[in-house]
Amino acid sequence: ARAMRGGRNAPGGRGEAPADHRSVGAFARPQAASAGCQSAPAAHAAIPRGRAAMQAAATAAAAAVAAAAGAVAMRLQRRRMCGRRVSPSGCRLPRDIHQVLSGQQLLPGRLIIVGDVHGCCDELRALLASVEYAKGYDNLLFVGDLVNKGPQNIEVLDLFLECGAKSVRGNHDDNVLRSYHRWRERGWQLKPEQSWIYGLKPEHVAALESLPFTLCLKEYGLLIVHAGLVPDVPLRKQDLWAMYKMRNLVHGANAGGGAGGDAHGRNGDGDRRRSGGLVPTEDPQPGEAWAAKWEGPWHVLFGHDAKRRLQLHPAATGLDSGCLYGRQLTAALLPPRPSSGVRRADGAPPTREALGLTLASVPATAVHEVPDAD
């Protein structure tokens, strides 16, 4: 009964494993043994009946355990699909998936929001020097993919912690966490290109695990996300996979490989109706860039899409200018927080001009990875 209620002894719970058919049989043996006190014919007749009862009880117990296990598995699967328990890579989620930064939580200086760094620390230091970043005064933020693939991943994390910076979680940040935990908890050997993960310190891992999927700066009317958002879907219902992997939107009927769908827990039918049937996909070929269709309510700053490089849409600005591939590292600069906000009277998201947003870039020091041919 405890197993059927999904208590501590239910399959998948934290307590002991549920009783199996052997424990049921142990309770039944005294009843079978008492048959020896009866007359011989009665005892011989009772033995088969006792065995049948034991088998029936064992079958019923096994069915109850299986039903409880199935219920627990379904609950866990639903939670995973809804993004409540683990990230798309199977990693621990941060306390706040969607983090809001109020004016009181910001430093008094500018906002400096940096595109995908990918472990390119020399370029990051050069960019911060070029914009005269003042540690402890300016707010340093990132659009995710702090690490992986580049040459100086540990150095980037050290600088991130030293500056008290903030970032959203990128798909590469999440993949690094997955590889780290597979090594530490399961003894997996990492690929040569990920050998730098062996040098992660606890504070590095804690910083990556704390990264939210979105950062909202209310006074600015800004939202930072790594990859993108599906229009007309509430933020709390945006899919985790899409927020750090999507590039394009396609209509549901045309969604092929790489597109979100119910099978992957991405944007169910209700959300698809609200979004006009649009489904997120990582593939840059079908459909259209999600940022071209974005109309608010925030102005979104994002990264991830190095193939398109810098993107300047009316309500979205893409900052991944391909530093990893030998191009540039780019940052968006915004003046100190506005006293009265920048939201328009009609509710539309603020423009770059209204925000006072400017861009700064530095060239990559090398081609750290050769981009795909496509």
Side-chain angles (χ1 to χ4, degrees), residues 204-290:
H204 297 147
V205 177
L208 291 173
E209 288 184 333
S210 71
L211 299 181
F213 280 72
T214 65
L215 275 171
C216 180
L217 294 97
K218 296 176 64 175
E219 280 80 359
Y220 287 87
L222 281 178
L223 189 89
I224 303 174
V225 68
H226 178 60
L229 298 169
V230 178
D232 300 321
V233 174
L235 188 61
R236 63 185 176 81
K237 290 198 171 186
Q238 293 281 342
D239 180 73
L240 299 182
W241 176 92
M243 285 189 285
Y244 76 15
K245 289 285 279 185
M246 69 181 291
R247 290 188 176 94
N248 275 20
L249 291 167
V250 296
H251 286 281
N254 300 321
D262 295 335
H264 301 285
R266 308 167 193 156
N267 289 26
D269 289 338
D271 294 330
R272 194 173 296 173
R273 284 193 294 270
R274 279 192 291 272
S275 64
L278 296 174
V279 178
T281 176
E282 187 181 11
D283 192 336
Q285 297 302 324
E288 186 177 358
W290 72 271

Side-chain angles (χ1 to χ4, degrees), residues 312-336:
L312 301 175
H313 298 280
T317 303
L319 296 175
D320 188 354
S321 49
C323 180
L324 179 68
Y325 306 116
R327 297 167 186 160
Q328 293 176 317
L329 182 62
T330 298
L333 310 177
L334 290 89

Side-chain angles (χ1 to χ4, degrees), residues 57-135:
T59 301
V65 169
V72 169
M74 289 180 65
R75 284 198 298 273
L76 290 175
Q77 179 68 8
R78 283 197 297 269
R79 287 174 181 174
R80 291 190 183 100
M81 299 288 273
C82 294
R84 297 177 185 171
R85 303 288 292 193
V86 296
S87 73
S89 291
C91 300
R92 183 182 307 161
L93 287 177
R95 183 184 66 179
D96 298 317
I97 294 175
H98 306 290
Q99 186 175 342
V100 178
L101 294 178
S102 64
Q104 290 73 24
Q105 295 172 288
L106 295 174
L107 295 170
R110 300 168 296 170
L111 296 185
I112 301 175
I113 305 169
V114 182
D116 301 41
V117 177
H118 281 292
C120 301
C121 197
D122 286 344
E123 290 88 341
L124 176 58
R125 291 186 184 278
L127 178 61
L128 295 181
S130 73
V131 301
E132 300 180 339
Y133 164 66
K135 185 173 69 173

